[in-house]
Amino acid sequence: VLRHIEVPADRVGYDVFYGRGVLQRLPEVISSLGCLGTIVVCTDVNVESLHADTVLALLRGAGVKTALWSMPAGEQFKTLDSARETYDWLSRESIERVDTILALGGGVIGDLAGFVAATYLRGLRLIHVPTTLVAQVDSALGGKVAVDLSAGKNLVGAFYQPAAVVADTDLLGSLPDCEWRAGLAEVIKHGIIRDTGLLELLERDRRRVLGRDDPAAMAGLVARAAGVKIDIVEEDPFERGTRRILNYGHTLGHAIEREAGYGAVRHGFAVAWGMAAAARIGAHIGTCDSSFVAWQDHLLNDYGLLIALPRLSADSLLAATAWDKKSANRRIHWVLPIGRGHVTVTADVSDAAVRSAAEWIADRSGSGIPG
Ligand SMILES: NC(=O)c1ccc[n+]([C@@H]2O[C@H](COP(=O)([O-])OP(=O)(O)OC[C@H]3O[C@@H](n4cnc5c(N)ncnc54)[C@H](O)[C@@H]3O)[C@@H](O)[C@H]2O)c1
Ligand SMILES: [Zn+2]
């Protein structure tokens, strides 16, 4: 067990298992949770072909009844339509309140299967088995589940805590390089908002981190980055304050994802551009200085995260931020850097500062080189 997360307001807590080979402990985890009914493994076609057999065999070996539901892969399927198809299938399979949803996949599956678990029959037990770096350090932790609308990302969702999170870092071995890199954007984000030690590790060990050739070191990196998220969601489980800092880079990042068309630019790369732009807003209004902007650009470029973007206009990016769900009373809460390891949240940002950051992105978009 890496950590035990308590959410007193929900009167729940859950164990988070991290490290190499922890998947083998799945039978022990489900028996300690008292999962009596069917375990429905929800996954996508990519993860199904790589890891579903292992998970199903482990569950069956433990004498558990299983079912498998597999969806097409990609952000463009994180929709109410996919949720509806899943509900219909669950009802045809006669899934009941005693049954459990096991989300096996990246953030898309975790958010979608989690949303289905939160709502089907008013709630089924949920176990996260995250298989991407994004999911292991970020989306499987903290209980946010959601689907996208065409108006914006994650606009329909809930806070729904899992019963357990089992994050086996060995599963990351099959991740394509670009997914690994996209996940490193969230790891860098965690360093910038809270953990200078993590930043030092990322700067010092860039080759090893990008090369993924030392599984034990990678497991350490993942656990450290996940630890940042765990600390923050424990402090503020329902995002009333501190937790907003996790959205660093996400306001313009989400705008990029939406304007490019969901699935066209990976979440992590969009967030990297969003962080680069947020730092410019920070320098513009004075939360940080230009040396921070340069340092962060350097780190993001060293990790190959500021990839080529399809043509985007500043106006469309600005219009898309207006839909950002974090805007309250039409004011966007901007998460802006102060320096390494520290950010601040403010709604007091001039339109000129935001416009120039959106123009900075737009000016660099449309070069056509795929990332
Ligand atoms: N709920 C939250 O708090 C939270 C936090 C961060 C991100 N998110 C959401 O997470 C989503 C992004 O997640 P993601 O980056 O994991 O994307 P993803 O789920 O689309 O996975 C990326 C790709 O990797 C494949 N894949 C997954 N595991 C694999 C493995 N082990 N080996 C090989 N291929 C594998 C998938 O099939 C997919 O094609 C976004 O929708 C974002 O909004 C949610
Ligand atoms: Zn994110």
Side-chain angles (χ1 to χ4, degrees):
V1 183
L2 172 73
R3 293 279 288 275
H4 178 82
I5 303 183
E6 281 294 332
V7 188
D10 271 358
R11 283 196 228 91
V12 294
Y14 56 98
D15 285 333
V16 179
F17 299 83
Y18 268 84
R20 304 193 60 197
V22 294
L23 191 63
Q24 299 304 321
R25 296 180 62 184
L26 198 54
E28 176 196 322
V29 171
I30 55 172
S31 87
S32 73
L33 290 172
C35 300
L36 298 172
T38 301
I39 300 205
V40 180
V41 176
C42 289
T43 190
D44 71 29
V45 289
N46 297 336
V47 181
E48 179 189 2
S49 67
L50 291 162
H51 301 298
D53 286 347
T54 313
V55 171
L56 290 168
L58 272 167
L59 296 171
R60 286 173 191 146
V64 178
K65 205 168 156 244
T66 59
L68 178 69
W69 172 246
S70 180
M71 303 203 329
E75 181 74 30
Q76 61 274 38
F77 296 102
K78 204 177 104 177
T79 59
L80 280 171
D81 284 339
S82 299
R84 188 195 316 272
E85 281 174 36
T86 311
Y87 297 140
D88 287 341
W89 179 82
L90 292 171
S91 65
R92 285 197 301 276
E93 294 288 308
S94 308
I95 295 304
E96 299 172 15
R97 286 294 293 275
V98 295
D99 300 325
T100 300
I101 302 257
L102 186 151
L104 174 70
V108 167
I109 285 297
D111 281 10
L112 182 109
F115 178 74
V116 166
T119 46
Y120 189 69
L121 302 178
R122 298 196 181 82
L124 298 181
R125 185 190 280 115
L126 171 66
I127 296 174
H128 280 298
V129 180
T131 65
T132 64
L133 183 56
V134 169
Q136 293 198 350
V137 303
D138 196 347
S139 61
L141 300 161
K144 275 199 201 174
V145 296
V147 295
D148 302 334
L149 298 182
S150 51
K153 270 183 62 99
N154 303 329
L155 289 181
V156 180
F159 284 97
Y160 192 70
Q161 307 301 335
V165 179
V166 179
D168 189 333
T169 51
D170 284 348
L171 295 180
L172 303 176
S174 60
L175 263 190
D177 255 353
C178 60
E179 297 297 349
W180 174 255
R181 273 194 296 136
L184 289 172
E186 303 276 14
V187 174
I188 290 173
K189 177 196 78 178
H190 287 181
I192 291 172
I193 64 178
R194 246 318 157 80
D195 188 350
T196 50
L198 182 55
L199 292 174
E200 280 157 24
L201 197 153
L202 287 162
E203 290 189 282
R204 193 183 57 230
D205 289 346
R206 182 176 65 92
R207 267 170 201 286
R208 278 209 309 169
V209 172
L210 278 171
R212 285 190 277 170
D213 39 19
D214 181 346
M218 292 311 96
L221 177 82
V222 171
R224 178 153 193 161
V228 172
K229 170 112 188 209
I230 293 171
D231 286 344
I232 294 170
V233 299
E234 276 207 315
E235 286 165 37
D236 179 17
F238 301 107
E239 199 169 321
R240 303 211 167 99
T242 321
R243 186 169 175 170
R244 291 201 177 112
I245 69 175
L246 286 163
N247 293 323
Y248 180 51
H250 281 60
T251 301
L252 280 162
H254 282 162
I256 291 169
E257 280 186 274
R258 179 181 126 106
E259 290 313 302
Y262 290 129
V265 177
R266 279 184 183 80
H267 180 72
F269 296 137
V271 169
W273 278 102
M275 291 192 285
R280 282 163 171 81
I281 296 176
H284 194 124
I285 71 162
T287 66
C288 64
D289 54 32
S290 58
S291 68
F292 176 85
V293 180
W295 167 81
Q296 185 187 256
D297 280 358
H298 192 81
L299 182 62
L300 295 172
N301 274 318
D302 263 358
Y303 275 94
L305 299 178
L306 298 178
I307 56 135
L309 297 173
R311 161 103 31 237
L312 300 163
S313 79
D315 285 332
S316 69
L317 289 172
L318 289 170
T321 60
W323 279 98
D324 196 278
K325 67 179 187 311
K326 293 173 287 298
S327 60
N329 301 324
R330 304 188 178 199
R331 305 279 291 175
I332 295 173
H333 293 277
W334 289 97
V335 185
L336 302 177
I338 295 174
R340 301 178 199 188
H342 300 282
V343 291
T344 182
V345 182
T346 176
D348 195 12
V349 174
S350 65
D351 290 346
V354 177
R355 171 160 287 278
S356 75
E359 280 167 357
W360 180 81
I361 295 173
D363 287 348
R364 277 151 194 80
S365 69
S367 55
I369 313 153

